[in-house]
Each structure stands twice: as C-alpha cells, then as structure tokens.
Amino acid sequence: MFRFCLFACLFAFLSNAPVAAQAPVLDSLVAACNAYAKADTTKVRMLTNLAGEYQKSDPHKGIVAAGEAITLAQQLNQPLYLAEALNKKGSNLSITGAYTDAVACFEQALRLFEKQGVQKRAANMLNNIGVMYNYAGDYANALKFFDKAHAAQAALGDNAGAAITLSNMGIISMLSSDYPKALNYFDRAIPTFLEMSNDGALANTYSNKANTYNFLADYPQAIEFHLKALAIAQKTGNKIDEAAYFNNIGVAYQNMAETTTALEYQQKALVIHEQIGNKRAIARDHINLASRYKSLKNYSAALEYLQKVETLLQGTDDESSMAYCYSNFAGLYFDLSDFGRSMAYEQKALETNESLEDLAAVAHGYLRIGNIVRTAPDSVLAQSEISPKNRFQTAEQYYQKALALADTIGALETLTNTWHNLSILHEEAGAYRKAYDAYRTYTALSDSILGEDTKKQITRREIQYEFDKKEATLKYEQQLTAGQLEKQKLLAQQRQQALVISNKEKDLQHLAFLKEQAEKQEQEQLLALAEKDNLLQAADLAALTKEKALQLKTLAQKNALIGFLLAGIAAILLGIAAFYLLLRQRQVKRKAAAQAQYTRQLLENIEEERGRIALDLHDSISHELLGLKQNIRNGSTPTPEAGDKIDGIINDIRQISRNLHPVMLDKIGLRLSLETLCEQFMQHESLFISHEINYPTPLPKTAELQLFRIVQEALTNAHKYARAEAVNVKLEPMKNGLQLVIHDNGKGFDVQDALHSGKAFGLHSILQRSKAIGGQAEIRSDQNGTVIRVEVPIA
C-alpha cells in the first residue's frame, strides 16, 4: 500500500506536460501522426502527445515517439517544444526503470525551461528529478530536489504544486525512517489540499500519514487517518483506493491483536475487488483472510480461502503471490500437524522464491523447513529422503543456512527466530551448552528489537500533533470517536507492555534452566572421566604395589641369609649387626614408599597431561578443522575468516608442542629460555620475577632441560601454592659447577611434612631431576618464604 500511495502522489509530476484539451485515443493519434507529413511544430506537438499516450500502455514506443519529437524540435530550433519532448521521454524512461537516463532528460528540460524563463515548468522538472532519485532509492538527493522545487513553487505562488511537493517530501522522510519530519511535511500539505478540495491528494496524504503512524506502532492513530482517507475514497467513488484503505485498516487492527475486527475490514476489501474483477488483488485478499482465520484457529475457513487463491493464480505469471500462497499452505498444514503436506508446500515456496531471488523469503523458508525436519515424524522424513538418524543434523543445516542468509541481508526477525529454534533443537538433542549459547543470542537479538520498539514509542510521545480547524469538517460516520481511539490506544499499550514483560520473564527463566542443565551435563561428563581415571590409577597402583612387595620379599630373604652367615660372630657383633639391619630395613622401606609415591604421582601427572592435550586437540583444533571441513564440503569460497581459523589452529598446535617440550631451549639456549620463562610468568600471572642468569659454561642439553623444568616447577609452586608476590631466580657459577637458587616471599610450609604427605609431586620432581643430572637439591621454607638451591657439578 505504501508504494501505491507513493505512485499516486508522484504521478502528478510526471503527467503535467500540456497536451491537447481533448486528446484522441491512441489509435486515432497514431493515424493522425502517420497522415501528417509536414516537419513543423505541429508534428512535434503530435509526437509529444503520442509519447504521452504511450506512457499509459507501451512506454518503449513512447520513448521512440519522444525521441522523434526531440530530433525534430532540435532541427526546428524550438527550445520549449524540445523541453516538453524531453520531459515526455524522461517520463516513459522512468516507467521502464531507466531512472538515470530519465534524470538526464529532465535535467536538460530543466535548463531549457530556466533559460526560456518558464519557471513553473522548471519547478515541475525539479520535482520530476526528485521522483527519479526516490525510485532509485537515493532519498538524500530526492529530498534535495524536492526542497528546491518547493522553494520555487512557493516563490511562484503555486500553492497546489508546493503542497504536493511537501506531501512527497513526507513520503521520502517516511521511507528514510525520519518519522517526525514526515508527519511535519504531511501536516503542512493537508491545509492546502483542504482549501483546494483536492480530494485525491488529501486522501493519499492521510493514508501516508497513517502509514507513518503504523511505522511508529501507534496503530489507533494509523486507523484514524486511514478512516479519513477511506471516507474520501467512498465520497469520490474511488473503489480501488477504498479497497486498499479497508485492507490497511485491517492490518492495523491485526497489529493490535483485534483479529475479528481486522477480518471484517479485509472482507470488505475482498467484496470491492470482486466487483472490480482484479484477480491479483482478490488472491491477496484471500491470503490475508486465510491468515486471519488461521490466527482464530478456524483452519477449515483458512484452508478454503487458500484453495481459492491457488485456483485464481493458476495460469497467471504472479509467481510472488503464488509463493506467498504456498508458504501460507505450509504454515497451515504445520499447525494441523500434517507435516508431509507442509514440507511439500514449503519446498514449492522455496523453489519459487529462489527463482525470484527474494532472499528474505528464501531465508525464512530455510527456517521453516528446519522446523519441519525437527518436528515431523520419521515416516515424513523418510518420504523426503531424510534419514531419521540425521534429523538433528539436517535441521541444523537448514537453520545455519537461514542464519547466514538472514545475517547477510539484515533480516533481523528471521535471524532472531532462527536462533530461538536452533536453541530448541540443541535442547531436544541434549546439547545443553549449545542450547544455552543459542538462546542467549536469541534473547540479545530480542532485546535489540525491543529497544527499537521502545525508541519508536519515545519518538511517538515527543511528537506534538496540531490539527487545522478545518479538519473537523472531514469527520465522517466511519471515523472512530476520540474517546474510543484513546481507549483502544491505552488497551493496546497495556497489552503490549504486559506481553513484553511476560515474554522477558519467560526468556530469563528458560535461559537460567538451560544454563543449569548445561553445567549439570558438563559436571556429569567430568565425573565420568574422573571415575575412569581412578579405575586406571587403581589398577596401576595395584601392579606397582605387587612389584614392590616382591622386591621387599627378595630383600628380606637376602637379609635373612646375611643374618645366618653372621650367626657365628660374637654376641656383641650379632647385636650390632641386628640393630644395623633393623635401621637399614626401615630406611629401605621409607625409600621404597617414597619411590612408590613418586612413581604413582608421576603416572597420575602423565595421564593428566595426556588428558589436557587430548582436550586441547578435541575442543580447539578438532572443532576448527570440522568447521573448515564443513565449509569445503558445502563448496564455499575460501574467506579471510578461513585463513584466520587456520592460523588459530597452527598457533594452538604450537602451544601444545611448547607445553610438551620447550623447543626454543635447543635454539636459543638455557639463559634466554629462563629469561623468557620468567617474562611469560609475569605477563600471565600476578607475580613479579627478578632474575640473574650468569651461565658461562654450557651443560649437556639433557642437563639444561632438567634445570629449565626445575625453574618452571618452582615458579608454578610459588604462584599456585605459596601465594608469593615476588620471586628471585639466580643461576651462577661456583667452584667445579653451577648453583641455581630460587627464592620466593610466599607463606612457606613444612618441607618434611610436605615430602611425606604423598601430595608433593612437584617437590619430589625437583629432587629427582637434580639427582638425574648428578646434582644435589636443598629445599628450605619458613614464614619468610621458600628457598630452593640446586648445585650441579661440571665435569
């Protein structure tokens, strides 16, 4: 309807060239042009009039006729006739969609009229140029030329032309979403139309003002001005406009959730279109009525109207209406749980919209097919050659297509609904983390839409309405009283506010539920993994204990043999030997227990490291590679984002590699590696580290690696357990070797208790690594902090 009103207002500019007072019908005019052989101004005028007649039926022939008039006017050196011919050519070009060429013709005509001093015609050309820029979607330039035209018309006292220009400036402002300015332009134009009794222009302006209120979601005000336009159409007998206004009023009532009233008005529109015999309009009316009956859950009536539409459109080229009809069929059958028919009609609609390149409808179609795949029984999926086992995967593929296309074209409503349905899909599949993330995106998009509605309401409240006193004479019987409108407005606002609050509370509750389920699911997975690890560790520990028991048994047998061999020695020596053996046995047991504990912790840490690496590979690299694989399978063209993903995968692999083994140690040496390690800890942890690395005589690579690991372990313990704020790392030469000292200011601990607790794997690791390179480690700790000293001999 918006476009109809736009053409109705703007057409006044494109049909203002003077023609004969009683123009002959097209056939008579063609015959007259062919019969008239003289090349004079009369011929130019006849060709110009012919171009005007062709404008109504065959603009391409109109362009040819206007071109002949232009050539002859140039030969005769007649500037005004040339300007009129250029105007007609531009008007015909605009109908064919050649807006740039039309602008060129109007600009030439503008210069000729200005040069000849015909200012009113020059103002008309400014208007025509504004219209072309509007058709081309260049609203800024359209407003600029309309503004120039209005100034020229006002200076000439052309109040009628100035009012029409103001009305069209309102249309441009409305299309540019500048609603307060649009209302201002319409209000400035209305008094002139009232004074001149220009019913057609007045009705169009009322209707466009109503459309502006519709954009502002002020539906009662929209209804008020549509009713004013309707009264004029009924007064003048304009049935086409009357039907259009009935439809618009019905839409406004539907937006207010007054479906029954909306149905009444749209049935009135249908009666008029049936009287006129406009098949396309009748088809659209039937679709609208089917939608209203569907809202009322009267499915049989809705189905009846849709079947009428299908019959009406058979054999026509109105593919857009047919696609819309198919989509409504699909929605109706979906509500009736007839998913097989719903899928068939949805696929028909999708194919038609793809051929029409209606991207918004295609995106919405992907969403609706995804819903059918997610909901339909297995038998329906099998008929559509979709394996029930792949239900969730296939539905997600359609949702992802809808998301990608809706995001590209900025279809916010489709984007929001798709995220909502994707969340439902993941929830049904038991993937609560994905469901939570999708629902969180959905609520964020919903909030943004709500924010736009709130802005509209604020804008609406800021607008001050001032009506001319003469508007009181145009209050017809169909117009609602001010009290009724105010009551409906208040009820609509209260209903909308309650609905928004209710929906928001539901969103927050569902979001909290999904988050709880996701956390519970993740906890269960972690517990399952922990139980599995415990079973493996218990088996390893049992094997290790059995081995150590066998070693102790063998050792006891050896000790018993020694005792028997020394039985003949004197009693004192026997007693001393027995005492010595007892001490020795206790020492061996302690060492064996310590060795068993260290071995067990070593196995645990190895398994923990394996788990971490597996998790990194699965959660990071595996997911990224799957994403790239999917893009390649879909045949997508490589994008910069794909390159970024590959770089991210490479960096992840490098980080895992560095965690397994400090590769840079072999390349840059121990000194720079230790300095780099200290710097990295300071960057990533709240820990200040000073270092003094004096390393003149290099050790073997294996020894350097052990020293690096000792420093790494000491820094980790200082940060994680000692809660230290500062650490000093010093490596310096000493007589016949090197000395490594790590000193932190943490809370300290009892070294012996920690070593015998069975939980100090890090400390045991430092001691064992020192022994492995022939060195000796000393660990001291008190309330002032911890000092680790390692001395390594140099051969």
Side-chain angles (χ1 to χ4, degrees), residues 343-362:
M343 175 69 84
Y345 275 108
E346 203 64 75
Q347 288 175 337
K348 285 183 179 181
L350 180 62
E351 291 173 3
T352 306
N353 287 320
E354 285 177 336
S355 67
L356 294 172
E357 297 183 355
D358 187 345
L359 299 183
V362 170

Side-chain angles (χ1 to χ4, degrees), residues 408-677:
T408 300
I409 64 177
L412 188 58
E413 185 176 356
T414 300
L415 197 65
T416 304
N417 290 334
T418 305
W419 277 114
H420 186 205
N421 284 278
L422 188 59
S423 172
I424 296 173
L425 176 73
H426 288 314
E427 186 176 352
E428 290 174 349
Y432 289 103
R433 171 55 62 182
K434 289 183 177 180
Y436 170 72
D437 292 338
Y439 202 81
R440 187 170 56 180
T441 305
Y442 155 70
T443 55
L445 288 170
S446 297
D447 289 344
S448 70
I449 294 175
L450 178 61
E452 289 300 319
D453 290 341
T454 303
K455 289 177 184 176
K456 289 180 181 179
Q457 292 178 12
I458 292 172
T459 303
R460 186 175 68 245
R461 293 191 187 105
E462 291 175 348
I463 299 171
Q464 299 299 320
Y465 304 112
E466 294 182 359
F467 299 103
D468 193 273
K469 293 180 180 179
K470 293 183 180 180
E471 287 188 352
T473 60
L474 294 177
K475 289 187 176 296
Y476 297 98
E477 292 181 358
Q478 294 86 350
Q479 180 179 349
L480 295 174
T481 66
Q484 290 173 318
L485 284 173
E486 191 61 32
K487 182 179 179 180
Q488 289 185 359
K489 184 176 182 181
L490 180 60
L491 288 173
Q493 289 174 347
Q494 290 174 346
R495 189 182 295 112
Q496 185 179 18
Q497 184 178 10
L499 182 62
V500 168
I501 293 173
S502 175
N503 288 339
K504 188 61 181 176
E505 288 177 351
K506 290 179 181 177
D507 286 344
L508 291 174
Q509 290 173 0
H510 193 64
L511 198 61
F513 166 75
L514 290 177
K515 184 177 182 182
E516 179 183 354
Q517 292 297 109
E519 292 173 349
K520 180 180 178 181
Q521 188 179 60
E522 290 170 354
Q523 187 65 30
E524 289 174 351
Q525 292 173 349
L526 290 174
L527 288 174
L529 289 173
E531 184 178 356
K532 185 176 180 181
D533 287 343
N534 288 336
L535 291 174
L536 291 173
Q537 292 171 7
D540 292 342
L541 182 59
L544 187 61
T545 302
K546 184 177 180 180
E547 182 181 354
K548 292 301 177 183
L550 182 62
Q551 292 177 355
L552 290 174
K553 183 178 180 181
T554 303
L555 183 60
Q557 291 174 348
K558 289 181 179 179
N559 289 338
L561 181 60
I562 293 173
F564 283 119
L565 292 174
L566 294 177
I569 302 175
I572 296 175
L573 293 177
L574 182 58
I576 294 173
F579 181 74
Y580 172 79
L581 288 174
L582 180 61
L583 292 178
R584 177 68 176 171
Q585 191 174 30
R586 289 178 179 175
Q587 184 179 10
V588 168
K589 287 182 179 180
R590 285 198 299 271
K591 289 183 178 179
Q595 182 65 31
Q597 178 65 26
Y598 177 77
T599 302
R600 184 170 62 256
Q601 290 185 346
L602 178 60
L603 291 172
E604 291 174 356
N605 280 272
I606 289 173
E607 289 302 321
E608 181 180 353
E609 183 66 10
R610 287 177 176 175
R612 185 189 64 76
I613 294 169
L615 193 61
D616 287 346
L617 290 172
H618 182 272
D619 288 354
S620 177
I621 298 173
S622 177
H623 285 185
E624 294 295 332
L625 290 175
L626 283 173
L628 290 174
K629 178 181 177 183
Q630 189 63 38
N631 288 338
I632 293 172
R633 178 178 295 172
N634 292 339
S636 301
T637 304
T639 63
E641 287 80 5
D644 293 341
K645 284 187 177 182
I646 294 173
D647 291 340
I649 294 170
I650 293 171
N651 290 333
D652 289 342
I653 293 173
R654 287 175 176 168
Q655 187 59 44
I656 294 171
S657 176
R658 291 192 187 103
N659 292 336
L660 289 173
H661 179 75
V663 178
M664 296 305 295
L665 180 65
D666 299 330
K667 297 182 179 181
I668 64 176
L670 180 62
R671 182 177 64 81
L672 289 177
S673 294
L674 289 177
E675 291 176 352
T676 302
L677 177 65

